[in-house]
Amino acid sequence: MRTLCSSTLIGEFFVIGFAALVAMKDADLSTSTVWLVSGIAMVLCVALCGVITRPGGVALGWALQVALVASGIFVPTMYFLGAIFAGLWWASVHYGRKIDEAKARFAAQGTQDTPSGA
């Protein structure tokens, strides 16, 4: 699960950075506010890569997805991109867990098939 989720988060890191560049063109938003909020979100993406398997890591990832979709208020394209990444996040968590379960089953079968004398 860690690999799939981390890949999604790193993709989001770049999308948030590019969205910040677009948001800077909005006269209603100050450059410092755009980069403060975007910077926090980008740091959160990288930090989540390290804690995704810990309790609450997936929930924090979902909170980031909600925030990414909500950022569409300022950059309308983010509604679409946020929804895409929310779907990728769901797939990363869902299929990542299935892969982890399959690896655990395979490892358990491998230890049972080993002859005791070897």
Side-chain angles (χ1 to χ4, degrees):
M1 178 172 80
R2 182 181 207 140
T3 302
L4 290 174
C5 290
S6 293
S7 298
T8 301
L9 290 167
I10 294 302
E12 286 183 61
F13 173 89
F14 289 108
V15 167
I16 292 168
F18 291 130
L21 293 172
V22 173
M24 281 182 18
K25 294 182 185 225
D26 188 345
D28 296 333
L29 301 173
S30 72
T31 302
S32 60
T33 302
V34 167
W35 284 111
L36 177 67
V37 172
S38 298
I40 290 170
M42 292 168 78
V43 168
L44 183 59
C45 285
V46 174
L48 273 173
C49 290
V51 298
I52 197 64
T53 56
R54 295 180 188 251
V58 172
L60 281 173
W62 278 115
L64 181 65
Q65 304 314 310
V66 170
L68 198 61
V69 172
S71 70
I73 293 169
F74 304 105
V75 180
T77 306
M78 291 307 291
Y79 285 126
F80 173 72
L81 290 174
I84 293 293
F85 273 100
L88 287 171
W89 181 253
W90 174 84
S92 297
V93 171
H94 178 74
Y95 292 111
R97 286 182 176 157
K98 286 187 179 262
I99 290 168
D100 289 347
E101 290 169 5
K103 283 182 181 178
R105 278 194 310 270
F106 183 74
Q109 288 175 349
T111 57
Q112 292 173 356
D113 294 340
T114 305
S116 59

